[in-house]
Amino acid sequence: MTSHADLSGAVTDALRAPSVHNTQPWRWRIRPGAVELYADEDRHLDVTDPDRRDLVLSCGAALHHLQVALAARGLATDVRRLPDPEDCTHLATVTVGAPGTGTPDVAAASLFPAIAARRTERRRMSHREVARKHIESLQEHARGAGAVLVPVTDPHVRERLVAVLTDAAQQQCREPGYAAELRLWTHRLPGSRDGVPAADVAAPPLGLVKATGLRRFGQATLAQAALGPGGPPDDAAQLLVLATAGDDVLDRLRAGEATSAVLLAATRKGLATTPLSQALEIDGSRRRVQTDILGIPEQPQLVIRIGWPATGALDLVETPRRALRSVLLPD
């Protein structure tokens, strides 16, 4: 019989998952031998995320973190996604150790150390290129979670993708209520244990030649790594687009799981990562990414920036997370 301590410990690890604006839009219920995941609609960003894409992706990332944490504890799992058609907030039920669940996922368990180590890097990255073998490995992790990962390697295609990211961010800034919503989640009260603190955000690097596509968060007190003598101002970070076959709630949940798999695998390799969602939060921008820029049949769900950390960059601090008791539903 799986202990309650194992399940609550795994859920605590899952709370480290990335989420849009660090809203942590999830609730959990722990039952004997099972964990249920629910979307927390009270933490939905109405203006930034009008169709709940980011909310479901965030919950999908937490779902994958949970599977990794359970596998690391030697527990086999069975995952039922969208198990209750009458409750759209009930996104998944994970049953542990039931007959037919097989053996623990060794590949998932290998990602467990990355849960505590992963950070979102919003600073300049290094000038060291990411080897093709690393990209291919991350693509394999995405496929294993039911998604595809498309590298944007052509300089002209990358430039157009960054232009869409930049334009989408500007459109959002003009949207009524967006500035207030952003401020709400970047100026949290002390002890709130969520949101994006200024200490995790860096101002744009000086002297850049190319645009980065990074979202602007207002307050920014994190120092950039110093450039080496005579070094180019731009880094060698790559952009990857995560996409799924369709675009319903299940596809978005799967995309979140794939996001977690890619971010954790990249962290295990020592790579820095930044999820970029603004171009996919606007219908027109998302269609441009799919048809005009990538020309793929799949539905883009997220852009992921990856690269080697800049030389001399200080380690990022752990972002705040709510306590387990704050996100548990009564059994």
Side-chain angles (χ1 to χ4, degrees), residues 7 11 14 17 20 45 76 81 95 132-133 161 174 176 185 222 226 229 233 249 300 304 319 323:
L7 297 184
V11 173
V20 58
L45 302 175
R81 297 167 183 86
T95 304
R132 182 181 182 86
K133 65 179 182 180
L161 176 59
R174 295 192 293 268
W185 289 97
L222 182 63
V249 175
I304 302 176
T319 50

Side-chain angles (χ1 to χ4, degrees), residues 11-237:
V11 173
T12 299
D13 291 328
L15 303 186
R16 295 299 317 162
S19 60
V20 58
H21 292 9
N22 194 24
T23 50
Q24 305 167 49
W26 43 64
R27 302 293 298 274
W28 305 83
R29 177 176 284 120
I30 299 176
R31 296 190 184 279
V35 176
E36 297 173 353
L37 169 63
Y38 294 82
D40 187 345
E41 298 288 354
D42 290 339
R43 289 174 170 262
H44 173 218
L45 302 175
D46 294 313
V47 183
T48 303
D49 181 29
D51 64 356
R52 300 173 73 252
R53 179 186 309 277
D54 291 342
L55 183 149
V56 176
L57 256 76
S58 299
C59 289
L63 175 60
H64 182 265
H65 269 48
L66 176 70
Q67 295 170 70
V68 168
L70 290 170
R73 288 168 168 80
L75 299 172
T77 58
D78 176 66
V79 182
R80 290 184 59 214
R81 297 167 183 86
L82 310 183
D84 186 351
E86 296 186 357
D87 184 356
C88 65
T89 69
H90 188 180
L91 297 179
T93 294
V94 180
T95 304
V96 179
T101 53
T103 59
D105 188 333
V106 176
S110 71
L111 298 177
F112 180 71
I115 288 180
R118 186 205 61 82
R119 304 285 188 272
T120 295
E121 176 61 272
R122 300 182 178 91
R123 296 172 294 184
R124 179 196 294 112
M125 295 185 186
S126 82
H127 300 106
R128 176 185 172 190
E129 297 286 343
V130 179
R132 182 181 182 86
K133 65 179 182 180
H134 295 316
I135 302 296
E136 291 174 347
S137 173
L138 297 181
Q139 289 178 301
E140 196 62 36
H141 280 280
R143 279 193 292 272
V148 296
L149 193 64
V150 183
V152 181
T153 55
D154 182 278
H156 298 294
V157 177
R158 177 194 169 96
E159 184 177 334
R160 292 166 60 199
L161 176 59
V162 170
V164 172
L165 286 166
T166 303
D167 181 63
Q170 292 172 348
Q171 287 187 56
Q172 286 182 321
C173 287
R174 295 192 293 268
E175 193 71 22
Y178 176 80
E181 190 172 74
L182 182 63
R183 182 175 178 81
L184 175 65
W185 289 97
T186 55
H187 294 72
R188 304 298 283 168
L189 294 173
S192 63
R193 307 299 299 166
D194 53 16
V196 183
D200 291 335
V201 182
L206 296 175
L208 289 182
V209 176
K210 299 181 293 186
T212 64
L214 292 171
R215 193 197 293 266
R216 298 295 298 273
F217 281 96
Q219 287 191 114
T221 63
L222 182 63
Q224 292 280 358
L227 276 176
D234 297 313
D235 61 23

